[in-house]
Amino acid sequence: MKKKRVAILISGRGSNMRALVEAARAPDYPAEISLVLSNRPQAAGLAWAKAQGLATALVDHKAHADREAFERAMQTTLEAHGTELVCLAGFMRLLTPWFVEKWQGRMLNIHPALLPLYRGLHTHERAIADGVKVHGCTVHFVVPEMDEGPIVEQETVRVRDDDTPDALAARVLEQENRIYPRALALVAGEQVVVRGNRVLMREGREPGAPTRAGRSPSS
Ligand code: GAR
């Protein structure tokens, strides 16, 4: 199967972008990273992607009159690079239904919590404050409602008694960096189908079953 052309959208550090880029170097990975796009000129991930020789683009939201103009500019850039799938990786702009619908079923996001718990920001602080024992991360298809949409992959992380939001965030991020490449492989490799709110393995295999490459227990 031909590799899918993937654009990664970032706003900052870009550790998830790096994880995807590194996974996509494997000859049998079903996706290639054809563009890294940032909405912020100073995003550290953008400099890293440039240094790797990847195609990069800056679409600065501040340089556009409104959200629609910004999204139209992103859309033009994505189309110019022959984008087939979009991965949001720490992309911190809300997207309009117009843009989301253009990429329906072809755009993934990673969120630092076990959705549908803890949508939005400050997920680690809120998890600790609530006293939950298990936290984690989610890769899901993007729908117009923020932090909703069919779940492709999740991983759990135990909350420790002495956890701080930063310590917990670091352990969750390690798992994010593992599940995002796995989720993208499932989608780009057309190994999954979406049925309503559920993402199911083709051929009746269960998501999370040990047939998936690279699975390991949560930390
Ligand atoms: C990640 O923890 C990601 O889950 C989160 O931003 C961080 C980006 O890190 N995304 C969101 O909160 C989106 N709502 P990274 O730039 O190192 O990938």
Side-chain angles (χ1 to χ4, degrees):
M1 192 190 295
K2 207 170 147 288
K3 285 177 185 263
K4 294 275 181 345
R5 292 177 65 79
V6 173
I8 308 176
L9 273 51
I10 63 169
S11 298
R13 174 180 54 190
S15 78
N16 282 299
M17 177 269 296
R18 274 175 87 140
L20 293 172
V21 167
E22 279 157 13
R25 288 188 177 133
D28 60 347
Y29 197 78
E32 61 181 306
I33 309 308
S34 50
L35 177 68
V36 174
L37 183 157
S38 173
N39 68 307
R40 288 181 57 237
Q42 65 276 35
L46 192 59
W48 183 86
K50 270 187 198 152
Q52 299 297 305
L54 293 164
T56 60
L58 170 67
V59 182
D60 188 347
H61 61 280
K62 290 187 181 153
H64 292 86
D66 53 30
R67 205 178 281 278
E68 277 158 45
F70 165 63
E71 290 185 352
R72 274 199 302 275
M74 283 206 300
Q75 183 66 19
T76 303
T77 307
L78 291 172
E79 284 171 7
H81 284 81
T83 305
E84 297 175 282
L85 293 172
V86 173
C87 288
L88 306 180
F91 184 72
M92 304 310 267
R93 302 300 298 170
L94 289 177
L95 297 167
T96 67
W98 175 80
F99 186 82
V100 172
E101 276 155 26
K102 290 248 176 252
W103 294 97
Q104 193 172 350
R106 299 187 298 145
M107 180 156 63
L108 299 173
N109 180 45
I110 186 145
H111 183 73
L114 291 173
L115 292 174
L117 290 173
Y118 305 117
R119 299 183 176 112
L121 298 175
H122 310 298
T123 56
H124 312 300
E125 285 93 325
R126 287 155 60 207
I128 291 172
D130 283 348
V132 298
K133 299 298 183 196
V134 176
H135 185 46
C137 49
T138 303
V139 177
H140 64 98
F141 282 101
V142 177
V143 296
E145 298 75 28
M146 187 189 70
D147 297 333
E148 290 188 25
I151 291 170
V152 183
E153 263 292 11
Q154 291 188 302
E155 193 53 272
T156 56
V157 172
R158 293 288 302 179
V159 181
R160 297 178 183 160
D161 288 356
D162 61 352
D163 253 333
T164 61
D166 284 351
L168 182 54
R171 295 204 312 289
V172 171
L173 191 66
E174 265 179 53
Q175 296 308 321
E176 292 185 36
N177 295 168
R178 301 173 72 106
I179 66 168
Y180 212 168
R182 212 154 66 204
L184 176 59
L186 291 173
V187 172
E190 298 178 11
Q191 291 188 57
V192 288
V193 286
V194 180
R195 294 272 176 272
N197 226 2
R198 301 183 73 202
V199 178
L200 306 174
M201 297 298 289
R202 285 188 197 275
E203 300 159 20
R205 277 179 288 160
E206 274 298 306
T211 46
R212 287 179 178 199
R215 259 192 91 77
S216 74
S218 60
S219 58

